[in-house]
Amino acid sequence: MVLATNLGYPRIGPKRELKRALESFWAGTSTALELEAAGRELRVSHWRLQQECGLQHIPSNDFSLYDHVLDTTAMVGAIPDRFGWDGAQVDVATYFAMARGAAAVPALEMTKWFDTNYHYMVPEFEPGQRFRLASTKPVDEYQEAQDVGIHTRPKLLGPVSYLLLGKWRHDAPADGREPLILLDALLPVYEEVLGQLADAGADWVQMDEPALVLDVPAAARDALTAAYTKLSAVSPRLRLLLTTYFGDLRENLDAVLALPLAGVHLDLVRAPQLLERALASLPASFALSLGLVDGRNVWRTDLDRTLTLLERAVATLGSERVLVAPSCSLLHVPVDLAGESGLDPELRSWLSFANQKLEELALLARAANEGRGSVAAALRERREAHDSRRRSERTRSPAVRERAEAVTAEMLFRTSAYPQRRPQQRARLPLPSFPTTTIGSFPQTPEVRRARAQFRSGRLEASQYDRFLEAEIERTIRFQEEIGLDVVVHGECERTDMVEYFGERLNGVAVTTAGWVQSYGSRCARPPIIFGDVSRPEPLTVRWSRYAQSLTSRPVKGMLTGPVTILQWSFVRDDQPRSETARQIALALRDEVQELEAAGFAIMQIDEPALREGLPLRRDEWDAYLAWAVDAFRLAAAGVRDETQIHTHMCYGEFNDIIDAIARLDADVISIEASRSQMELLDAFARFRYPNEIGLGVYDIHSPQVPSVDEMERLLRKALTVLSPEQLWVNPDCGLKTRGWEEVQASVTGMVEAAKRLRKG
Ligand code: GLN
Ligand code: ZN
């Protein structure tokens, strides 16, 4: 029998119950016991729901109070010394200290989970790292499910991926070796956990090894063999399913198929070509878990097509060896479509969130087991929805398509090259040397959020809300004037989120009311859904920027989110290449940029913080991506006159390896995160002469710490060892939205002071 299975269910809860529980615990208004009870309630309801849907393999240990990589760090006791952990079971305080930092103890680093918008806490190792079992969470949660009568498939992050996702402590010399050398020390803990799971009655265990879709060193394949030879010997009753997702295993597939496993899971949404390879060489002892339902996007599955693949697998392997699954954990999609009554009914009929995907999985298994006829009505209904999407006028705008096709190479170029633009911009904008500016947003205080919520729920009239925003903008402008910033901004108080704001205003894009997806810890985002051809029905931002400019004689910078970032932080249509969608968004933004120019703005900033994270997981695919991503940015930016200055901004991650692509954006000025890494980025500029102007962030806005003027001056002088004085701007690392006014006042005043010191020589 083909089994319907799941790889992971969203943890946050249909109403973000986990967020509430966490934040009230952190605020001290609830106890650890209450938090634990809230977690348990979510887990149990998620298991029941999956059981009711008819799933046969239901995951446990997919829940987490913060992050599953952090859970693994707790499980194996890899707690860095600074957390002062005493060696027993990791307690909640230590756990959250690692996640969020504690008095003067910095948190673990956080970074993106593969190419998703989920962030994990990076494991931190030291040479000679010791491991020991320090959390029984996997076994506890398995038992917890047993206690409510549900047999689950426990899920662990596999040891090879765990090590590959970690890094050495900053000051720990590792002589160029990889953390993989810690494998032998790590494995006994995994053996212990698997032994406990076997004793508790588990049979199938899901071992996630997503790192196998990356370019891993050859040593990783040896590590894999060493690890799974050991782990599969722990207990004859355990059946290890090695799960991979987010891409093709390529050269790692053969290594996986040679392991003593009970089965392997492949992401056939991202890598459909894997199916034939696997069917041709799957060992007779292996089951195959087919990742057929897209865990990364919100579209309904094309069941006819998918069933054909499933039937093909059953014909080759027999139904006993086939599992049907989502491509990856459902962590990356919203929980339930049922609450989205505000969506247009036709669009809604095309969508599938986590709960709908569970139904699809059950349907697929049933069709494979009992024949398509047994679910004919459901198949028909879905086929109709699918056809309606394919045929819908709503997804296609002839005007947009015509325009996108007519894009010429000239449209990607400014009239003149930067050296000619520069004097014209200087003439138009008399700025001091080392000009100061910010990245765009100013504190989004509880009052701002309250006013927005009141407006959305109809408790505040539009005109009242507008007055509120005007007052907020005025306060922001006055603040910047007083502090002496050279280029000012309106502060972005009207935007909840830099992508959602544009999503709400563009044709072809829908937003949800509760389509929350976990970003990190208790933080969630509601990614917009790009379902059709994108265009701009009316100006998106001009009004507030213009209002800001009416209040001041200083240059106001118009603020836009770039095409790649809008794409990257949305659910994107899957019926055309991403590059095509990016081009349409770019054209809409191009109009906005030109409109701002016509309204008199001399500076526009087009943020692309997500440019880097859009990089494909495999290096040999980078160039193709960067080519269209850079073009999309240029298409948005290049329609302005020479004397108009285009800025861009980037943060999150390392930029050293894409610095030439960043230069190809041909922005007049780029502001980029640098203070957190102590200007590590400068190494790249030492090797590569960045041609245009650049602001390296001197104020780490992720920290509540107010940096001293001396410290900021030191960073700037460090930058001047590599950059020329004419190139350098002075700005924070990123927007100030999450900070309070008081710290912003102190930090930004200091920043302006540091720039003044530089001007004195
Ligand atoms: N302009 C945005 C802001 O200041 C940029 C945010 C970002 O880079 N993530 O908030
Ligand atoms: Zn930023």
Side-chain angles (χ1 to χ4, degrees), residues 57 152-156 194 197-198 202-208 238-243:
H57 283 192
T152 56
R153 183 173 85 188
K155 158 176 169 140
L156 300 175
L194 287 174
L197 284 170
D203 40 47
W204 283 94
V205 177
Q206 174 182 332
M207 302 294 296
D208 280 11
L238 289 186
R239 314 194 62 192
L240 301 187
L241 177 75
L242 186 138
T243 36

Side-chain angles (χ1 to χ4, degrees), residues 439 498 569 605 607-609 649-652 671-673 701-702 732-735:
I439 307 303
M498 64 188 291
W569 291 348
Q605 177 171 311
D607 290 328
E608 285 290 22
H649 162 70
M650 259 167 231
C651 50
Y652 307 126
S671 59
I672 196 159
E673 173 181 317
I701 62 91
H702 300 279
D733 265 349
C734 190

Side-chain angles (χ1 to χ4, degrees), residues 442-563:
F442 271 83
Q444 293 229 341
T445 54
E447 297 83 77
V448 173
R449 287 200 295 270
R450 194 170 329 120
R452 190 185 299 125
Q454 285 177 339
F455 167 60
R456 292 203 164 180
S457 65
R459 278 173 291 150
L460 201 65
E461 275 174 38
S463 60
Q464 291 171 301
Y465 183 55
D466 287 353
R467 294 296 90 71
F468 174 86
L469 291 178
E470 285 172 1
E472 195 64 25
I473 290 171
E474 175 150 21
R475 159 192 186 165
T476 307
I477 291 289
R478 296 292 165 251
F479 175 88
Q480 296 172 84
E481 285 179 329
E482 265 155 42
I483 277 184
L485 284 160
D486 300 305
V487 172
V488 299
V489 293
H490 76 286
E492 299 179 28
C493 57
E494 80 286 14
R495 307 182 188 177
T496 29
D497 172 280
M498 64 188 291
V499 168
E500 193 179 60
Y501 180 82
F502 289 86
E504 282 169 338
R505 282 162 183 77
L506 289 167
N507 293 329
V509 185
V511 295
T512 63
T513 48
W516 298 104
V517 178
Q518 191 176 17
S519 167
Y520 64 91
S522 67
R523 295 283 198 114
C524 303
R526 271 180 309 209
I529 298 170
I530 304 178
F531 62 88
D533 290 339
V534 177
S535 61
R536 188 190 73 136
E538 57 182 19
L540 309 165
T541 66
V542 178
R543 171 177 180 189
W544 299 119
S545 295
R546 188 183 263 154
Y547 180 72
Q549 189 65 80
S550 75
L551 301 171
T552 181
S553 56
R554 296 189 188 224
V556 170
K557 172 163 79 166
M559 297 297 314
L560 302 170
T561 302

